[in-house]
Amino acid sequence: MAVGFFIFSGSISSKWSYLKQEPYCIDFETANWVIERKESYRSTHAMLLTVGIMLCILCAVPAIIISSLNTKSTFADSLSGGLVLVFIAIGVFMIVFTNMKKSSFDKLLSLNGAQTMGGNFANSHDGKVHYENPVVAAIMSVYWSTVTCIYLCWSFITFDWGITWIIWPVAAIINSLVENLLGDKHGN
C-alpha cells in the first residue's frame, strides 16, 4: 500500500519537478500566503506527527492484549499480527503525509533564496528554532541535556535498562510538540 501511495504521490507531484531544476521565485503576496498556510498547518502537523509516532510505538499493544487472553486459535494469532501491521501502516502514512505537506511549504518558501531576485521576500532561515517566550527558550536550551541526565540517573539507580530506554521516544515526541506548537523556525 505504501508503494502505491509513493507512486501516486510521485505522479501527482511530477508536474512540479521543474521547481527543482530551474531558478524561480515567488512574489511578496504569495510568500505571505504560503507562510500563513504553513503557520495554520503547524498544529495539524504536530498532531499528525505525534499520533503517527505513537501508533508506531504502540503497534505491539493489540498483539500483547490478544496474546494475554490465552486463546489458542490461529485466527487470534493472525489478527494480532495483522493489527501490528495496520497500526504501523497508519502511523507511517500519517508521518509521511504530514512531512510531505510541510516540506512542500518549505520548498515554496526556499524558492526565494538569497541568490534569486525575490530573495528579499524570504525570511532568513538558520535551521534553529526560536521561541518568543523566554521561559520556553530557557527550558528548551537545556532540554536534551536534562533528558540525558534523567535517563542516566534513572537507569543507573534502577538498573532497569529494558524499560528506561522509553524516555527517548517520549522525549522526542515532547520536543517535537514544543517545537511545532511554540517554536518558530523562520523567526516570524
Side-chain angles (χ1 to χ4, degrees), residues 5 9 33-34 37-42 44-45 48 93-109:
F5 174 68
S9 172
W33 182 82
V34 172
R37 292 287 305 247
K38 181 181 177 185
E39 194 61 35
S40 70
Y41 185 68
R42 180 190 294 227
T44 304
H45 172 71
L48 287 173
F93 173 79
M94 293 172 88
I95 293 167
V96 170
F97 174 78
T98 192
N99 281 323
M100 285 177 64
K101 187 166 182 174
K102 185 177 178 296
S103 69
S104 67
F105 291 130
D106 293 336
K107 178 61 181 170
L108 285 173
L109 291 173

Side-chain angles (χ1 to χ4, degrees), residues 28 35 41 48 77 96-97 110 120 146-147 150 153 188:
F28 183 72
I35 289 170
Y41 185 68
L48 287 173
D77 290 341
V96 170
F97 174 78
S110 73
N120 56 351
T146 306
V147 169
I150 291 169
C153 291
N188 296 344

Side-chain angles (χ1 to χ4, degrees), residues 2-79:
V3 173
F5 174 68
F6 289 132
I7 291 171
F8 176 75
S9 172
S11 66
I12 294 296
S13 63
S14 67
K15 72 178 186 177
W16 302 104
S17 63
Y18 65 89
L19 292 174
K20 295 178 183 175
Q21 299 161 352
E22 299 177 25
Y24 286 95
C25 65
I26 54 178
D27 63 11
F28 183 72
E29 286 183 43
T30 305
N32 280 337
W33 182 82
V34 172
I35 289 170
E36 289 172 10
R37 292 287 305 247
K38 181 181 177 185
E39 194 61 35
S40 70
Y41 185 68
R42 180 190 294 227
S43 60
T44 304
H45 172 71
M47 186 57 63
L48 287 173
L49 189 63
T50 303
V51 171
I53 291 170
M54 290 306 298
L55 283 173
C56 290
I57 291 171
L58 299 175
C59 68
V61 170
I64 292 169
I65 291 171
I66 290 172
S67 69
S68 69
L69 298 175
N70 292 328
T71 58
K72 301 295 180 194
S73 73
T74 57
F75 175 73
D77 290 341
S78 298
L79 179 65

